[in-house]
Amino acid sequence: MKNKTKILTTLLRLIKTAIKKNEIPSSCLLVDSNYQILFKAHNLNQSQKKVSAHAEIIVINKAIRNNFGFNLSNLILISSHEPCMMCLGAIKQAKIKNIIYLYDQPKFGFLNSNFNFDHSKIKVKKLKLLKSESDKFKSSFNLFFQKLRTKK
């Protein structure tokens, strides 16, 4: 990997900053294909009081806000640890195709954890609708994306 020392130093510096702020020590970068750092972040869950303020989501949002759009497929996400399931959702939404991480997260990581959705602890129910009711929701969703695709 090009710029490995700079990348590792930056990730570690961000972790140290997070620790000083009493945040979870997690950091993330978005780099281009030459491994030049474009965006960086550390977790801000505690200070922002947001469950979604993970470094991966913050760095993705920075790229989107800086006119990179919602298709970040040409960027590489580098995380200090294995991203969680929530962050994987954001990564997929941003169309990021390459993830590099430094260490496993055995409790909540999306690849190497034993995390299973325990239905006994959370009640999940799909509301039964009449077909006409269901169709209204489906058609709204489908129409939105159909219009989006025809604009391109």
Side-chain angles (χ1 to χ4, degrees):
M1 174 191 326
K2 298 176 188 175
N3 298 326
K4 182 179 178 181
T5 302
K6 183 177 183 180
I7 286 168
L8 295 177
T9 302
T10 303
L11 288 168
L12 194 55
R13 191 178 76 248
L14 289 165
I15 284 174
K16 289 178 181 178
T17 301
I19 290 169
K20 286 179 187 174
K21 294 179 178 181
N22 291 318
E23 296 288 351
I24 295 167
S26 171
S27 58
C28 187
L29 308 173
L30 272 176
V31 301
D32 64 18
S33 59
N34 291 316
Y35 293 90
Q36 295 299 312
I37 298 170
L38 302 175
F39 303 99
K40 55 190 174 186
H42 62 77
N43 272 29
L44 292 170
N45 302 67
Q46 307 303 314
S47 60
Q48 290 188 359
K49 300 197 181 330
K50 286 184 181 178
V51 72
S52 62
H54 287 196
E56 295 88 345
I57 293 174
I58 294 168
V59 83
I60 288 168
N61 286 332
K62 282 183 177 182
I64 292 167
R65 280 193 308 271
N66 282 279
N67 299 320
F68 275 72
F70 288 93
N71 184 347
L72 305 179
S73 59
N74 59 332
L75 302 181
I76 302 164
L77 185 135
I78 303 176
S79 181
S80 59
H81 64 281
E82 177 186 2
C84 71
M85 294 297 288
M86 177 179 65
C87 291
L88 177 63
I91 291 164
K92 294 217 27 106
Q93 288 288 318
K95 298 176 180 63
I96 295 171
K97 296 177 182 174
N98 294 295
I99 303 168
I100 298 170
Y101 68 94
L102 306 184
Y103 63 91
D104 296 337
Q105 280 285 43
K107 191 169 182 183
F108 289 111
F110 80 90
L111 280 176
N112 295 301
S113 72
N114 293 323
F115 182 76
N116 290 316
F117 186 72
D118 185 351
H119 291 277
S120 69
K121 294 184 180 180
I122 299 174
K123 188 174 181 177
V124 179
K125 180 180 177 180
K126 181 179 177 186
L127 185 63
K128 292 184 181 183
L129 299 172
L130 297 173
K131 182 170 178 357
S132 61
E133 294 170 324
S134 177
D135 286 348
K136 288 177 187 176
F137 290 93
K138 285 181 186 176
S139 65
S140 296
F141 189 80
N142 292 338
L143 187 61
F144 173 82
F145 285 102
Q146 187 177 28
K147 285 181 181 178
L148 211 67
R149 288 182 188 102
T150 57
K151 287 182 182 179
K152 292 182 180 180

